[in-house]
């Protein structure tokens, strides 16, 4: 549950320090009223939040390191029907968590525990709270109920109200070491054909594409996104050499991967800026010749402007509006072509 890739009893290998620390804190009776789980998307913060909630509700948590999975509380949690657990996330068709949802949370905490233990709420992602919802949640954090715990999961904690952040115990989640990510991906990732990812080289490439966040990398692998990424990079090369029309590419890129395509453009711009600043650190970069050429041609201002446009378009593609993606891609491609005309 809660965007988890597995059971709430499972702990990802790179979460062991957080698990040990928070289990010890729970057993010492020093659990705060609110946690803030902070880190990049794709590190499994929601999965760990689900694990922690299940663990704190489990009847056998005093003697085990994971939820037992057999007691009444664990069975209720796994069936997503535990009366003392509440999940707040954007409703279907919405990108935000609304104030009415937080009011329901306040009502939830206002009632006694039905199972005689903690009452726990998970808010994910916390930055999806709109202004009214954030202010309503702040009041709850300022005046917490007795046996209540709120877990906020955030990919962008800087977007939260400072007063919300200050009332939470911060738990940081960092990217695991490369060998840990590779080992986990080998054991868990399959592509659409149900076959294991064939090579370490592919795994490292997709991890780089996913900013070294293993769960995001696994999502890309299951989509078959690496092959499409490489194809798109080749297509960008032909476009910049005036061998392909922008309208042709924009039409082809108008698919289920459209939001990822804009993110990939932003990724290329990050690589170009790294090359320009001579801070690549011996990374293996696909189409390095093309990116180096653009680094020599374009100014920092032009690159940052196009980067900002890509990020803005990415947010639009993920939103609830229905932007014209073909026109959006044509506009971005026009900006890319301008980079080539300099000099």
């Amino acid at each position: 549950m809660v965007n988890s890739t597995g059971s709430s009893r499972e702990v990802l290998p790179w979460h062991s320090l957080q698990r040990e620390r928070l289990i010890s804190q729970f057993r010492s009776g020093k659990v705060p009223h609110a946690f803030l789980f902070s880190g990049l998307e794709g590190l499994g913060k929601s999965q760990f939040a689900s694990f922690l909630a299940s663990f704190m509700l489990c009847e056998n948590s005093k003697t085990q390191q994971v939820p037992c999975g057999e007691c009444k509380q664990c069975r209720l949690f796994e069936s997503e029907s535990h009366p003392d657990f509440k999940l707040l996330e954007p409703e279907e068709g919405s990108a935000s968590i609304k104030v009415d949802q937080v009011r329901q949370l306040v009502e939830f905490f206002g009632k006694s525990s039905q199972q005689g233990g903690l009452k726990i709420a998970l808010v994910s992602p916390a930055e999806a709270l709109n202004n009214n919802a954030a202010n309503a949640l702040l009041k709850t954090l300022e005046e917490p109920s007795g046996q209540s715990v709120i877990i906020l999961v955030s990919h962008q904690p800087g977007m939260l109200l400072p007063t919300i952040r200050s009332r939470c115990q911060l738990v940081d989640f960092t990217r695991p070491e490369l060998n840990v990510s590779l080992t986990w991906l080998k054991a868990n990732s399959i592509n659409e054909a149900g076959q294991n990812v064939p090579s370490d080289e592919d795994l490292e490439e997709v991890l780089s594409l996913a900013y070294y966040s293993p769960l995001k990398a696994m999502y890309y692998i299951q989509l078959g996104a690496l092959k499409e990424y490489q194809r798109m990079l080749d297509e960008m090369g032909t476009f910049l050499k005036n061998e392909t029309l922008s309208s042709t590419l924009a039409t082809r890129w108008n698919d289920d991967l459209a939001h990822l395509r804009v993110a990939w453009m932003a990724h290329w711009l990050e690589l170009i800026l790294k090359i320009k600043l001579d801070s690549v650190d011996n990374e293996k970069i696909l189409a390095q010749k093309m990116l180096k050429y653009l680094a020599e041609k374009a100014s920092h201002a032009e690159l940052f402007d196009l980067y900002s446009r890509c990020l803005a378009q990415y947010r639009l593609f993920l939103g609830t509006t229905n932007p014209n993606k073909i026109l959006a891609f044509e506009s971005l491609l026009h900006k890319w072509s301008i980079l080539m005309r300099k000099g």
Side-chain angles (χ1 to χ4, degrees):
M1 57 189 304
V2 195
N3 298 321
S4 167
T5 62
S7 164
S8 61
R9 300 180 64 226
E10 296 177 9
V11 178
L12 294 166
W14 54 92
H15 291 165
S16 57
L17 291 178
Q18 290 91 341
R19 179 183 65 176
E20 291 172 10
R21 173 187 169 194
L22 297 185
I23 285 179
S24 175
Q25 190 173 353
F26 172 72
R27 288 178 173 165
S28 66
K30 298 178 180 178
V31 177
H33 284 294
F35 290 103
L36 173 57
F37 288 3
S38 169
L40 291 176
E41 186 176 3
L43 296 177
K45 299 184 300 298
S46 290
Q47 180 169 335
F48 184 80
S50 181
F51 161 82
L52 182 62
S54 178
F55 180 82
M56 291 191 293
L57 292 169
C58 175
E59 295 171 11
N60 298 305
S61 57
K62 296 297 183 183
T63 59
Q64 299 197 170
Q65 296 298 309
V66 296
C68 71
E70 299 176 355
C71 69
K72 178 182 178 182
Q73 310 309 319
C74 285
R75 292 197 302 272
L76 285 169
F77 192 88
E78 286 296 331
S79 65
E80 301 187 15
S81 59
H82 200 295
D84 293 331
F85 175 80
K86 189 169 184 63
L87 170 65
L88 259 69
E89 59 185 355
E91 295 173 341
E92 187 174 353
S94 175
S96 63
I97 298 173
K98 301 184 174 87
V99 66
D100 285 344
Q101 293 174 265
V102 178
R103 287 173 181 154
Q104 293 171 10
L105 178 65
V106 173
E107 183 179 346
F108 167 77
F109 280 132
K111 298 176 181 178
S112 300
S113 167
Q114 294 190 33
Q115 299 297 311
L118 290 172
K119 301 200 75 172
I120 302 172
L122 172 53
V123 183
S124 178
E127 57 267 24
L129 291 158
N130 65 26
N131 288 337
N132 290 336
N135 286 320
L137 180 66
L138 178 59
K139 292 180 181 177
T140 302
L141 294 174
E142 289 173 336
E143 302 173 2
S145 304
Q147 291 288 94
S148 64
V149 178
I150 300 177
I151 305 173
L152 304 180
V153 172
S154 179
H155 315 312
Q156 298 173 292
M159 294 180 64
L160 302 178
L161 292 174
T163 43
I164 286 181
R165 296 199 304 268
S166 67
R167 285 167 173 78
C168 300
Q169 175 181 315
L170 179 64
V171 181
D172 283 319
F173 289 78
T174 58
R175 290 175 290 197
E177 295 292 330
L178 179 60
N179 66 316
V180 174
S181 296
L182 287 173
T183 299
W184 183 82
L185 280 172
K186 285 179 185 178
N188 291 276
S189 297
I190 56 172
N191 59 25
E192 287 183 320
Q195 300 171 333
N196 290 330
V197 179
S199 70
D200 286 357
E201 185 178 355
D202 278 350
L203 288 174
E204 289 193 41
E205 182 62 40
V206 79
L207 272 168
S208 173
L209 189 59
Y211 298 96
Y212 297 94
S213 296
L215 298 188
K216 182 176 283 190
M218 185 173 71
Y219 170 66
Y220 284 175
I221 291 166
Q222 291 171 338
L223 284 178
L226 180 58
K227 182 178 179 180
E228 189 57 43
Y229 171 79
Q230 293 166 332
R231 180 182 178 184
M232 183 178 171
L233 193 55
D234 291 339
E235 289 172 335
M236 178 62 85
T238 62
F239 168 74
L240 293 176
K241 290 186 287 188
N242 293 318
E243 297 174 0
T244 305
L245 295 174
S246 62
S247 57
T248 300
L249 293 185
T251 300
R252 197 188 82 74
W253 294 349
N254 179 28
D255 58 14
D256 292 340
L257 297 179
H259 67 290
L260 290 181
R261 296 183 187 280
V262 180
W264 295 342
M265 283 189 179
H267 181 64
W268 299 339
L269 290 163
E270 291 171 2
L271 292 174
I272 293 170
L273 285 163
K274 278 187 173 184
I275 293 169
K276 200 170 184 68
L277 296 170
D278 196 25
S279 61
V280 177
D281 295 332
N282 297 317
E283 291 182 35
K284 178 181 177 293
I285 299 176
L286 295 177
Q288 190 172 54
K289 183 178 178 181
M290 180 183 78
L291 299 182
K292 280 185 174 180
Y293 183 79
L294 288 169
E296 294 170 359
K297 281 277 198 178
S299 68
H300 288 89
E302 288 173 316
L303 293 170
F304 278 116
D305 175 69
L306 183 49
Y307 183 70
S308 297
R309 291 173 185 269
C310 288
L311 293 184
Q313 201 61 61
Y314 177 74
R315 288 190 289 269
L316 279 176
F317 280 12
L318 286 181
T320 57
T321 60
N322 187 26
N324 187 320
K325 295 176 183 177
I326 293 177
L327 286 179
F329 279 124
E330 287 186 345
S331 176
L332 290 174
L333 285 167
H334 173 68
K335 291 294 182 182
W336 278 93
S337 67
I338 290 174
L339 299 182
M340 294 291 288
R341 295 184 201 147
K342 293 204 63 186

